[in-house]
Amino acid sequence: MDLSDTGTLVNVIAGIAVALGVVGVVIPVIPGLLLGWLGVLTWALLGDASGTVKWLVLIAATLVATLGALVKYLVPGRRLKSAGIPNTALLAGGALGLVGFFVIPVVGLILGFVLGVFLVEQHRLGPGQAWPSTKKALGAAGMAMLIEFTAALGVAVVWVFGLILA
């Protein structure tokens, strides 16, 4: 592998971005799906792959990323709404998660989210019903992460097939 070759260098940079995109879904700070898609965009614009293949790969990756981003918000949101969990609980969870991230890096995000949702639900429903409601919110957040992870893997697979076909 000759890194002085521009095409190879673009492939390596795009590959790193796509891989970080998949890993970034699990790591809270990195915008995973967007980063993976940007890697494919970089490869399509700057790489030396054949014209038709790279544009078809970019279109497919865009469709996978867009569909994943849409489903990521629609499905868990519908579950939360049907469970009766208000947006204020999620906003409190997000705010305390952000604070927690800086107090206890990485793990604090999850702990802060759980605490924020639990406190709002405890105030709203009382101590007996707060934890079951919080577990439903955590399940929805986990489902959103799983959907985004699947979409990021889909973008990576589309890109790898593009590399093979190009």
Side-chain angles (χ1 to χ4, degrees):
M1 175 164 50
D2 182 18
L3 289 180
S4 63
D5 177 27
T6 307
T8 304
L9 186 60
V10 168
N11 287 346
V12 169
I13 291 170
I16 290 170
V18 169
L20 280 175
V22 173
V23 173
V25 172
V26 181
I27 299 172
V29 180
I30 301 172
L33 192 53
L34 177 63
L35 187 58
W37 180 81
L38 286 173
V40 175
L41 177 67
T42 301
W43 175 77
L45 292 176
L46 303 176
D48 57 0
S50 69
T52 306
V53 172
K54 69 181 178 181
W55 298 121
L56 288 175
V57 168
L58 180 61
I59 289 168
T62 301
L63 289 174
V64 169
T66 303
L67 183 66
L70 251 135
V71 172
K72 172 188 166 187
Y73 290 107
L74 292 179
V75 172
R78 189 176 305 149
R79 288 182 106 193
L80 289 172
K81 201 168 276 241
S82 69
I85 299 170
N87 288 337
T88 54
L90 299 177
L91 288 173
L96 279 180
L98 187 62
V99 170
F101 178 77
F102 291 107
V103 174
I104 308 168
V106 182
V107 178
L109 180 70
I110 297 164
L111 294 175
F113 178 78
V114 171
L115 182 63
V117 172
F118 181 77
L119 290 174
V120 169
E121 290 300 282
Q122 186 175 25
H123 178 72
R124 185 175 74 92
L125 299 172
Q129 291 297 101
W131 185 242
S133 183
T134 302
K135 286 194 312 189
K136 288 178 184 174
L138 282 173
M143 178 181 284
M145 184 182 282
L146 182 62
I147 291 168
E148 186 178 6
F149 183 74
T150 304
L153 277 177
V155 168
V157 167
V158 166
W159 178 73
V160 168
F161 275 116
L163 275 178
I164 293 169
L165 296 174

